Amino acid sequence: MEPGLSIESGSAIRVAVLPVGGPIPPPRLREYAALVARHARVDLASLRTYYAEHQKSPFQHQPWETGCLRLKFVLGGCVPSPWEDFQSSRKVLAVIGICHLPSSPDLDRVAADFIDSARSYPSALANRCFAFCPTDAQLSGKKRDDIIMLPPSDQQSLELHMLTMIQDLAASLLMEFEKWVLRAESTGTILKTPLDSQSSLGSEEVIKAKKRRLGRAQKIIGDYCLLAGSPVDANAHYTTAIELARLTGDVFWHAGALEGSVCALVVDRMGQSDPVLEDEVKYRYYTIIQLYRRATLQDNAQRVSPVSFELEAALKLARYLCRQELAKEVSDLLMGAADGAKALIDASDRLILYIEIARLFGTLGYKRKAAFFSRQVAQLYLQQDNAYAAMSAMQVLTMTTNAYHVQSRKTMKMNHDLSKEPRAGNTDSGKVHPQSIVSLFESQWSTLQMVVLREILMSSIRAADPLSSWSAAARLLRSFYPLITPAGQSGLASSLANSADKLPTGTRCADPCLPFIRLHSFPLHPSQRDIVKRNPHKKEWWTGAGPSGPFIYTPFSKAGASGTSKQEVSWIVGEPVQVMVELANPCSFDLVVESIYLSVHSGNFDAFPVSVSLPPNTSKLVLLSGIPTKVGQISIPGCIVHCFGVITEHLFKEVDCLLLGAAQGLVLSDPFRCCGSSKFKSVNFPSISVVPPLPLLVANVVGGDGSILLYEGEIRDVLITLTNAGTVPAEEANVALSGKNQDSVISIAHSTWKSALPIKPGGEVTFAVTLRAWHLSSADLETDGSRSPANSRRIAREGINPFLDIHYAGPAANLENGDVSLPPGRRLVVPLNICVVQGMRLVRARLLSMEIPARFTETHLKPVSGEDINLLKIDPYKGSWGLRLLELELFNPTDVVFDVDVAVHLDDADVDQEVISEGDAACHKTRIDRDYSARVLIPLENFKLPVLDASFFVKESSSDEPLGSRAAAIAERNAKAELNASINNLISKIKVKWHSGRNSSGELNIKDAIQAALQASIMDILLPDPLTFSFKLAKNGTVINDDSSKDFGSVLRCKDPISAHEMTHMEVQIRNNTKEIIQMNLSISCKDVAGENCFDENSATVLWAGVLSDIHLEVPPLQEVIHPFSMYFLVPGDYSLQAASVIIDATDVLRARAKAESPDEPILCRGSPFHIRVVGTA
Amino acid sequence: MASTACFVIVSKNDIPIYEAEVGSAPKKEDLSYHHQFILHAALDVVQDLAWTTNAMFLKSVDRFNDLVVSVYVTAGHTRFMLLHDSRSEDGIKSFFQEVHELYIKIFLNPLYLPGSRITSSHFDTKVRALARKYL
């Protein structure tokens, strides 16, 4: 059988094209062969010049104007067929030699070589040898007849030259045909086929053959007429031959002649599509097929079977009819031909048959049928055990991949570029109808696909084509891993590795293998996140475009602003960016991805490769990074993966489709889910645009970026350095505070950084921020169970720190058209990681009452000076009856030493009351070592209010009146507020400051503690007694005036206290601290050390003059009254005087102050004891 | 019963949604996919033939060597394809009709996505029983 046969092929002159001489480089050979093969059709009209009619032409009806000769060039020649005599078109009628002269300099040898090779074609009627690219020496040499040299020139003239040569060849062939026909007509020829040779023995056969000879000769002459381009002549001869063959019963030749006549008919009517002609051809060909079948049956016993002619006839008819409308008929013919394959003995015949069937089905549009027969072809090829057959098998199988939907992406790209587009749009819209998902996975005949891929793999390994085998194994593994056993998967992996070994490094393949890659997320780089679009209409551009009206939501705002699902991302030239992808290895072997990086086709991105190793059945998240290099749009369709030695591109979209199918149960398996990864979540790739460089400020807290360790209440300056790490100066900036605990930032040195603007690239500015540590809440303290610093750091939780929001922007760029474009600004958030650790702890605060009697001592008589740093100042004449001390117990749980200062700030208003009080600086420091506690005493004496006012007791009075009016309630509220204010005033006067080390200092927050301590006895502290008593020595027994305070100093200068046996003049001063007149009965008592009353009338040890008991006095409001008396001490020693008075007709205020329980109770007022030391002899 | 038979249901998207080797001949791996290749190739013929007739049963539409492909096309263009070597056309027709009823039951299942694989074991058992009965 011969490939590529058609009805018209009977009219083609077979020309062998042979390379001769030295080896010809393949591209050259192809080029020369193409040059020759262009002239497959030579018009008869153009042969006139080369044609010389020697005798009368046997082709009487030759159409010189319209006809043509058809040449069929066979490169490399062919084996002579045993059926040459039967069909002249099978004969090689001419031989053309092609010679590449630079590789074969010896012309004689070329000529000899050509003659040698032409000798194997005895049927050749004309020979030509073309020599290309001759050297100058070869050209200038003796002109040879046997070699035609084509001097090097441009393509056009070379073609013209070649045309001339072919026309010459055709003309000489035509003349040879004439000669041959004339000879055959006159002498006759012996024509044999393999059928005849088998049965040449019997004499009967010989006679039969003689009879048949004439008919056969006519048939051959007809063949030659057809070859000579004269179908009309041919038809005449064929008609004779048919008649003769029918008469002689020469079935085989009858069929041959009939076939020739159809060919003549078709060639004659070339280019006309005529249903009548078609019917005629069909009818005759069915006859031909019948005749051949009969011939086959007749000669069934013989070894050589003419069954191939029957099949060829069927194929010829099928090719002739091969149109969509006649698909049924053609496919019947082809199926019939396919059935005939079993009868074919020669494997190569079967091969050709299948090839032809596949080709015809392909032409018919039956892709799957074509693929099926192609696969049969490939299997026949694979039965031959050589590399070329394997290569052919591989190529044939590759052609079938389209029909089985396992094609390489390389070919898919070419074929499906257009058809893919609408689908892509469909999946992008998010909501996909289930039906259209199904259509994504059309024709998934997985079994067949696997078989085809496996066969491709097998054949490409045999054909030593590593790239194809890699690609096939990759497709097999990627698409069908769930159907392949673990052993099979490992086998594929090793075949991938083996193929890669044979490939040069850096080979790219269109088909991705493992791993499966999907886009996981788009982690924004910190610097990216902080790009702020500038609002050109606002000075504070970072605040965003505010609503245009008074409403928060305006329906007229741009619809696209918020509703777009596709987010936009800006990347900055020169700043690294990251994309998170998820890799999955669903197979049972370790997968080593040598490198993986983002694939960007827009060419403005530098991707950084990373290498990953994936254990069996695992997935992994990988962060891929890169740097945009140019302004513009970036699209990232997938990743470039270097795995199994080959570089491939993995597209995200494909995996998304796969996962979509897996979600619907249409695909075998979801590679990510079987690796234990989370559920499928489609990630939209945002549209990425690259913007020109922006300034990039980097903040650095001087002294380390860790948290700033502060003790509670500590105040410290923190230096922050801003460095411009970008390539553009930062021209404007704004620093603001945000986050929690903003009040812990006391001040920011705005002027420092403002003066440093613009910050040039590489420039830096350092500014100070003053911080005060806040106080830990009790919850914080509880969590901070142990005191180790590691634990204390835990307190520095997220979200409790203040932030510095720094908005900054580069210069505005001037566009070409004169407009000013505002590049986006940026925000830098500097967290002030303040870690507050517990400093000194207030263990307890309590109030101590100290009752120190007034006394005369030397120390108290010292003159008062400014340098006196005694905090506790007791009026020696009044004593400290009712003095209270606030005791603070402090504990130092830290590792450092604290110095504590207690300071009491006094208002100016208090100066007249207590002159001797000093400022805080004068206080003593208390040092508390680590793990020690200390107590600090704070006297609270100086806080007494000057007046005992009724307002403080409104609460009590109102409680006495159950029917309190509204006015009372208001008064109560006012009074309460006043009281609270005075308490707060009191507390705020007390400050406990601490220092630790060189630069830690702060204030202890003891407000609450003090308040708690004072709550019970706040009245006692704040309110003065209604009456105060003080004793004084009066000089010379005269009563000192009310303004005796002026002489106060002289009294104190009395050196000698009191001597016995001497009349001592004394006076008691009674002050009314209320706003009402107080009437009272005053009595003065004197006691000795034993506590005996010295004024006892029976055994008095002290003599006295003046009234000492039941003195009725009336003290006007806020005034003092002095009652003088004299005493005469008989015995030296210590005595104490005490004044007491019973208030007559006490008011409610006084009762409340005295905490009287019943209204009848006498109100008693006592002063502090006055200590007198009496010296002398008894 | 036919010695070789391979039954495949092909959805209208040309995806095989059900496959069964129902022949009595011992199963061979390579043969089963060979059968599928033949059935797959026959789709081309069915595609043209289905529109030329009103009948659902297209009889034998294709053959390869001595194996014949009979096809039954439902109204939804789902194709039941049987590859067989026996010639009992009536049996095949009854087989197809009964399988069609089973298929409609599957189709009525609200949880079944038309065009996806039929995984019901009940369906499989029934089909095999029908094959034993008719082929």
Side-chain angles (χ1 to χ4, degrees):
Chain A
M1 280 189 77
E2 290 195 353
L5 285 180
S6 64
I7 290 182
E8 303 90 346
S9 56
S11 66
I13 306 163
R14 188 166 295 188
V15 182
V17 180
L18 307 171
V20 292
I24 305 175
R28 281 306 172 112
L29 179 62
R30 223 170 287 142
E31 189 185 312
Y32 299 150
L35 209 56
V36 173
R38 292 168 64 92
H39 309 289
R41 186 192 150 104
V42 182
D43 286 331
L44 283 175
S46 63
L47 299 185
R48 285 278 191 185
T49 44
Y50 309 98
Y51 174 73
E53 192 171 22
H54 296 292
Q55 52 217 80
K56 191 170 167 22
S57 169
F59 311 131
Q60 287 156 10
H61 303 284
Q62 194 151 37
W64 277 103
E65 301 306 320
T66 55
C68 65
L69 294 189
R70 289 183 182 78
L71 302 178
K72 185 184 178 186
F73 299 99
V74 183
L75 186 60
C78 53
V79 227
S81 158
W83 304 93
E84 284 188 335
D85 276 354
F86 177 61
Q87 285 175 336
S88 304
S89 58
R90 288 179 191 262
K91 281 184 193 167
V92 173
L93 294 169
V95 176
I96 291 177
I98 290 177
C99 173
H100 184 59
L101 284 178
S103 60
S104 44
D106 188 356
L107 289 177
D108 290 330
R109 273 197 56 193
V110 172
D113 195 14
F114 177 59
I115 289 164
D116 265 357
S117 39
R119 197 170 291 146
S120 56
Y121 300 99
S123 56
L125 301 173
N127 297 338
R128 294 284 188 278
C129 183
F130 298 130
F132 293 89
C133 300
T135 56
D136 286 345
Q138 286 164 331
L139 271 177
S140 58
K142 180 168 71 83
K143 189 155 174 66
R144 303 176 64 110
D145 291 336
D146 48 358
I147 296 175
I148 300 157
M149 286 196 241
L150 293 106
S153 58
D154 60 278
Q155 185 72 17
Q156 212 172 356
S157 55
L158 205 60
E159 279 170 15
L160 196 66
H161 206 147
M162 184 52 74
L163 177 64
T164 318
M165 293 301 149
I166 298 288
Q167 282 169 347
D168 175 45
L169 173 73
S172 58
L173 274 172
L174 184 57
M175 291 186 281
E176 289 295 327
F177 291 159
E178 285 175 356
K179 257 188 250 171
W180 197 95
V181 169
L182 285 175
R183 196 173 65 235
E185 274 182 334
S186 57
T187 60
T189 47
I190 310 292
L191 296 163
K192 277 185 182 169
T193 61
L195 289 176
D196 301 317
S197 60
Q198 297 297 314
S199 53
S200 57
L201 291 172
S203 57
E204 208 177 312
E205 293 291 319
V206 176
I207 301 160
K208 218 179 182 181
K210 273 182 189 167
K211 278 187 193 166
R212 289 171 177 177
R213 193 185 297 156
L214 201 58
R216 293 185 180 186
Q218 283 299 313
K219 194 260 172 196
I220 293 303
I221 291 167
D223 279 355
Y224 274 99
C225 292
L226 209 50
L227 292 177
S230 173
V232 181
D233 288 320
N235 205 19
H237 288 287
Y238 282 135
T239 316
T240 324
I242 290 165
E243 286 306 314
L244 289 172
R246 190 186 293 151
L247 287 174
T248 54
D250 198 355
V251 182
F252 190 60
W253 284 79
H254 181 192
L258 204 53
E259 211 176 346
S261 74
V262 178
C263 179
L265 188 68
V266 170
V267 169
D268 196 27
R269 306 262 186 92
M270 188 65 96
Q272 303 170 17
S273 64
D274 185 355
V276 182
L277 170 72
E278 199 176 281
D279 285 346
E280 179 68 21
V281 169
K282 224 192 287 180
Y283 169 72
R284 286 204 207 170
Y285 250 96
Y286 280 123
T287 320
I288 293 165
I289 293 167
Q290 287 300 324
L291 286 172
Y292 277 131
R293 193 166 294 161
R294 251 166 63 196
T296 313
L297 291 173
Q298 262 180 17
D299 302 310
N300 214 11
Q302 294 167 4
R303 207 174 58 83
V304 179
S305 154
V307 72
S308 61
F309 285 92
E310 181 199 334
L311 298 179
E312 276 181 5
L315 291 177
K316 281 176 183 172
L317 180 60
R319 173 153 296 153
Y320 181 75
L321 296 175
C322 192
R323 284 202 311 275
Q324 195 69 52
E325 306 91 82
L326 303 173
K328 175 101 179 66
E329 198 164 0
V330 175
S331 68
D332 280 346
L333 272 173
L334 291 175
M335 277 191 277
D339 283 344
K342 277 179 291 185
L344 287 172
I345 298 149
D346 192 357
S348 67
D349 277 354
R350 209 178 302 160
L351 190 65
I352 290 166
L353 174 70
Y354 281 148
I355 290 173
E356 290 299 311
I357 292 174
R359 284 174 68 180
L360 288 170
F361 270 127
T363 325
L364 205 57
Y366 282 9
K367 289 236 171 62
R368 287 166 281 203
K369 273 275 181 199
F372 177 77
F373 282 103
S374 301
R375 192 176 153 265
Q376 299 294 323
V377 170
Q379 283 189 324
L380 288 174
Y381 271 128
L382 283 174
Q383 282 166 13
Q384 305 174 28
D385 204 12
N386 66 61
Y388 288 109
M391 221 176 282
S392 308
M394 188 191 81
Q395 276 166 3
V396 169
L397 283 171
T398 309
M399 284 188 272
T400 68
T401 53
N402 241 329
Y404 293 116
H405 294 268
V406 285
Q407 67 269 52
S408 161
R409 205 201 275 166
K410 195 166 59 188
T411 56
M412 197 153 55
K413 253 180 207 156
M414 291 186 281
N415 297 338
H416 291 270
D417 260 353
L418 290 171
S419 61
K420 271 268 165 102
E421 288 305 318
R423 269 185 198 174
N426 200 7
T427 48
D428 272 355
S429 66
K431 196 169 181 181
V432 190
H433 195 264
Q435 286 300 333
S436 60
I437 299 173
V438 171
S439 71
L440 280 175
F441 302 97
E442 266 173 42
S443 304
Q444 300 284 336
W445 290 69
S446 48
T447 325
L448 308 191
Q449 290 170 333
M450 275 174 70
V451 169
V452 168
L453 282 175
R454 207 177 291 150
E455 280 172 356
I456 292 177
L457 176 62
M458 210 160 69
S459 59
S460 58
I461 289 173
R462 229 192 271 178
D465 184 345
L467 187 57
S468 297
S469 59
W470 198 95
S471 156
R475 274 177 276 166
L476 194 54
L477 195 55
R478 187 177 172 87
S479 310
F480 304 106
Y481 68 90
L483 301 179
I484 303 172
T485 57
Q489 290 176 356
S490 311
L492 282 173
S494 63
S495 72
L496 281 171
N498 289 341
S499 310
D501 285 346
K502 291 174 197 139
L503 287 168
T505 52
T507 307
R508 282 174 178 263
C509 182
D511 300 299
C513 186
L514 296 174
F516 290 90
I517 302 175
R518 75 172 174 198
L519 187 66
H520 182 268
S521 62
F522 230 81
L524 289 181
H525 198 266
S527 66
Q528 257 169 273
R529 199 180 297 134
D530 294 337
I531 295 174
V532 183
K533 215 165 216 167
R534 270 211 263 189
N535 182 0
H537 307 298
K538 271 191 180 175
K539 194 173 177 294
E540 297 186 326
W541 44 261
W542 52 90
T543 48
S548 55
F551 306 107
I552 295 170
Y553 169 73
T554 47
F556 308 111
S557 64
K558 250 191 281 177
S562 58
T564 45
S565 58
K566 197 135 182 164
Q567 75 259 52
E568 288 187 18
V569 172
S570 293
W571 285 356
I572 299 158
V573 171
E575 289 182 19
V577 292
Q578 291 172 322
V579 174
M580 180 93 84
V581 296
E582 186 170 13
L583 310 186
N585 170 23
C587 292
S588 61
F589 50 84
D590 278 322
L591 183 67
V592 179
V593 180
E594 282 140 75
S595 73
I596 171 170
Y597 55 93
L598 294 173
S599 139
V600 175
H601 296 305
S602 43
N604 51 353
F605 189 79
D606 281 347
F608 303 144
V610 291
S611 75
V612 187
S613 160
L614 289 163
N617 293 314
T618 54
S619 64
K620 216 179 234 183
L621 289 175
V622 176
L623 209 54
L624 300 178
S625 55
I627 289 184
T629 53
K630 254 185 273 169
V631 175
Q633 292 289 318
I634 283 188
S635 71
I636 301 180
C639 290
I640 304 277
V641 172
H642 187 201
C643 187
F644 290 115
V646 171
I647 298 168
T648 52
E649 183 174 22
H650 294 236
L651 298 179
F652 294 134
K653 197 175 269 176
E654 282 177 8
V655 174
D656 282 351
C657 281
L658 182 73
L659 296 178
L660 204 61
Q664 296 288 340
L666 295 168
V667 183
L668 303 162
S669 165
D670 180 344
F672 290 95
R673 194 178 301 174
C674 74
C675 292
S677 179
S678 58
K679 219 173 159 304
F680 167 54
K681 177 181 70 174
S682 180
V683 179
N684 274 335
F685 220 89
S687 67
I688 303 163
S689 56
V690 180
V691 297
L694 298 177
L696 176 62
L697 291 186
V698 177
N700 193 11
V701 178
V702 174
D705 282 335
S707 44
I708 306 156
L709 203 70
L710 293 180
Y711 292 108
E712 278 182 282
E714 183 172 344
I715 296 169
R716 195 191 286 179
D717 278 358
V718 173
L719 292 178
I720 291 172
T721 304
L722 293 179
T723 312
N724 188 358
T727 53
V728 172
E731 293 216 324
E732 48 183 301
N734 176 69
V735 180
L737 271 177
S738 69
K740 289 190 174 172
N741 285 318
Q742 285 189 26
D743 54 347
S744 64
V745 178
I746 297 173
S747 70
I748 301 169
H750 287 290
S751 57
T752 317
W753 61 259
K754 268 181 187 155
S755 64
L757 287 175
I759 306 173
K760 293 261 180 322
E764 63 174 40
V765 58
T766 303
F767 64 97
V769 173
T770 311
L771 301 177
R772 180 176 56 199
W774 59 86
H775 296 283
L776 296 174
S777 65
S778 55
D780 292 333
L781 291 174
E782 275 165 27
T783 55
D784 185 25
S786 64
R787 287 187 280 116
S788 72
N791 281 336
S792 67
R793 204 143 294 163
R794 249 186 350 191
I795 299 171
R797 290 190 312 257
E798 279 296 308
I800 58 160
N801 289 322
F803 295 96
L804 283 184
D805 273 4
I806 305 174
H807 289 91
Y808 59 96
N814 286 312
L815 292 181
E816 286 158 2
N817 52 11
D819 287 351
V820 176
S821 81
L822 282 177
R826 287 192 132 167
R827 183 181 59 197
L828 173 66
V829 176
V830 187
L832 295 169
N833 281 326
I834 302 172
C835 174
V836 179
V837 292
Q838 197 189 5
M840 238 172 353
R841 194 193 298 172
L842 179 73
V843 179
R844 181 166 58 156
R846 61 178 173 167
L847 207 60
L848 303 175
S849 66
M850 294 287 269
E851 306 216 324
I852 303 167
R855 62 152 79 211
F856 297 110
T857 51
E858 295 277 337
T859 50
H860 290 122
L861 301 177
K862 276 197 283 181
V864 179
S865 72
E867 283 88 44
D868 193 346
I869 54 162
N870 249 340
L871 182 70
L872 185 60
K873 291 165 183 87
I874 299 169
D875 182 357
Y877 297 101
K878 280 185 186 167
S880 65
W881 211 249
L883 168 73
R884 282 158 204 275
L885 290 173
L886 181 67
E887 183 199 62
L888 300 177
E889 188 175 342
L890 300 172
F891 177 61
N892 177 7
T894 64
D895 296 337
V896 290
V897 175
F898 280 94
D899 285 324
V900 179
D901 283 337
V902 176
V904 178
H905 294 270
L906 292 177
D907 307 342
D908 290 338
D910 292 342
V911 168
D912 63 319
Q913 190 193 7
E914 285 293 334
V915 195
I916 49 173
S917 286
E918 277 298 326
D920 50 75
C923 300
H924 283 301
K925 281 184 180 168
T926 310
R927 165 160 294 202
I928 309 177
D929 277 338
R930 44 181 295 203
D931 286 347
Y932 276 88
S933 53
R935 291 176 188 180
V936 178
L937 295 177
I938 304 168
L940 293 179
E941 196 203 23
N942 298 326
F943 303 107
K944 287 219 192 281
L945 295 175
V947 182
L948 178 63
D949 199 346
S951 61
F952 295 116
F953 303 100
V954 175
K955 194 179 170 192
E956 279 86 345
S957 60
S958 69
S959 65
D960 289 343
E961 288 178 86
L963 304 169
S965 64
R966 186 189 285 175
I970 293 169
E972 180 187 356
R973 207 176 307 145
N974 285 341
K976 215 166 180 183
E978 204 175 321
L979 182 67
N980 282 338
S982 55
I983 293 170
N984 284 339
N985 185 30
L986 163 67
I987 291 167
S988 65
K989 281 177 192 162
I990 304 169
K991 295 229 155 105
V992 180
K993 291 197 167 180
W994 52 263
H995 295 270
S996 173
R998 195 177 296 165
N999 48 12
S1000 283
S1001 68
E1003 214 177 278
L1004 210 57
N1005 182 24
I1006 50 170
K1007 239 177 211 176
D1008 294 341
I1010 293 178
Q1011 197 151 9
L1014 294 186
Q1015 203 62 53
S1017 48
I1018 190 71
M1019 292 298 174
D1020 294 337
I1021 296 162
L1022 276 178
L1023 298 184
D1025 288 330
L1027 298 171
T1028 41
F1029 305 87
S1030 55
F1031 292 91
K1032 279 180 189 168
L1033 285 180
K1035 270 191 175 171
N1036 309 322
T1038 54
V1039 176
I1040 295 168
N1041 299 338
D1042 278 350
D1043 53 0
S1044 64
S1045 56
K1046 296 279 192 306
D1047 306 324
F1048 206 54
S1050 61
V1051 177
L1052 288 173
R1053 285 188 220 301
C1054 176
K1055 271 194 177 172
D1056 186 24
I1058 289 170
S1059 40
H1061 309 295
E1062 219 174 273
M1063 185 62 90
T1064 312
H1065 302 285
M1066 296 194 77
E1067 59 191 34
V1068 60
Q1069 191 179 14
I1070 303 139
R1071 184 184 157 83
N1072 181 2
N1073 288 327
T1074 65
K1075 288 180 177 172
E1076 282 126 28
I1077 293 172
I1078 297 179
Q1079 294 190 348
M1080 61 181 167
N1081 276 322
L1082 173 74
S1083 54
I1084 297 159
S1085 63
C1086 178
K1087 285 178 182 170
D1088 59 9
V1089 267
E1092 298 288 326
N1093 190 1
C1094 302
F1095 293 153
D1096 191 12
E1097 293 187 6
N1098 302 324
S1099 57
T1101 49
V1102 179
L1103 304 178
W1104 69 93
V1107 195
L1108 284 179
S1109 58
D1110 285 339
I1111 316 154
H1112 186 80
L1113 280 178
E1114 196 177 273
V1115 192
L1118 301 178
Q1119 293 290 318
E1120 288 172 1
V1121 169
I1122 289 170
H1123 173 74
F1125 62 95
S1126 303
M1127 293 211 295
Y1128 185 89
F1129 293 98
L1130 299 174
V1131 186
D1134 288 336
Y1135 296 89
S1136 57
L1137 287 174
Q1138 193 169 28
S1141 58
V1142 176
I1143 296 167
I1144 303 162
D1145 297 336
T1147 59
D1148 287 345
V1149 176
L1150 292 178
R1151 283 181 191 286
R1153 177 71 185 90
K1155 295 175 182 155
E1157 279 160 8
S1158 68
D1160 306 331
E1161 198 178 334
I1163 305 300
L1164 192 71
C1165 236
R1166 263 192 297 190
S1168 67
F1170 187 71
H1171 194 89
I1172 301 171
R1173 187 176 184 77
V1174 180
V1175 291
T1177 50
Chain B
M1 187 167 183
S3 62
T4 310
C6 175
F7 177 63
V8 169
I9 299 179
V10 179
S11 79
K12 78 165 198 244
N13 301 307
D14 288 356
I15 308 175
I17 55 175
Y18 175 78
E19 296 157 29
E21 281 288 330
V22 289
S24 58
K27 273 185 194 168
K28 272 193 244 164
E29 178 70 20
D30 53 339
L31 265 183
S32 87
Y33 69 68
H34 184 67
H35 294 161
Q36 288 208 17
F37 269 109
I38 298 170
L39 289 169
H40 179 256
L43 280 174
D44 272 330
V45 183
V46 177
Q47 180 183 299
D48 282 353
L49 206 59
W51 302 105
T52 60
T53 170
N54 283 329
M56 284 182 164
F57 182 46
L58 301 184
K59 303 184 180 167
S60 73
V61 297
D62 197 5
R63 63 182 194 277
F64 184 74
N65 295 342
D66 34 319
L67 296 170
V68 182
V69 180
S70 292
V71 176
Y72 182 93
V73 184
T74 70
H77 208 66
T78 303
R79 282 143 291 176
F80 301 162
M81 304 181 80
L82 183 72
L83 183 77
H84 56 99
D85 51 4
S86 67
R87 295 277 164 180
S88 69
E89 203 165 81
D90 289 343
I92 290 168
K93 189 173 181 182
S94 321
F95 171 75
F96 276 144
Q97 278 166 347
E98 301 240 353
V99 171
H100 191 186
E101 278 184 29
L102 288 176
Y103 175 70
I104 285 169
K105 284 176 188 165
I106 288 285
F107 209 81
L108 287 173
N109 183 346
L111 301 179
Y112 172 73
L113 173 69
S116 63
R117 210 161 255 279
I118 298 173
T119 48
S120 159
S121 60
H122 180 74
F123 182 79
D124 187 59
T125 327
K126 281 283 185 72
V127 167
R128 285 173 194 279
L130 286 175
R132 268 194 296 279
K133 184 175 169 191
Y134 289 113
L135 302 180

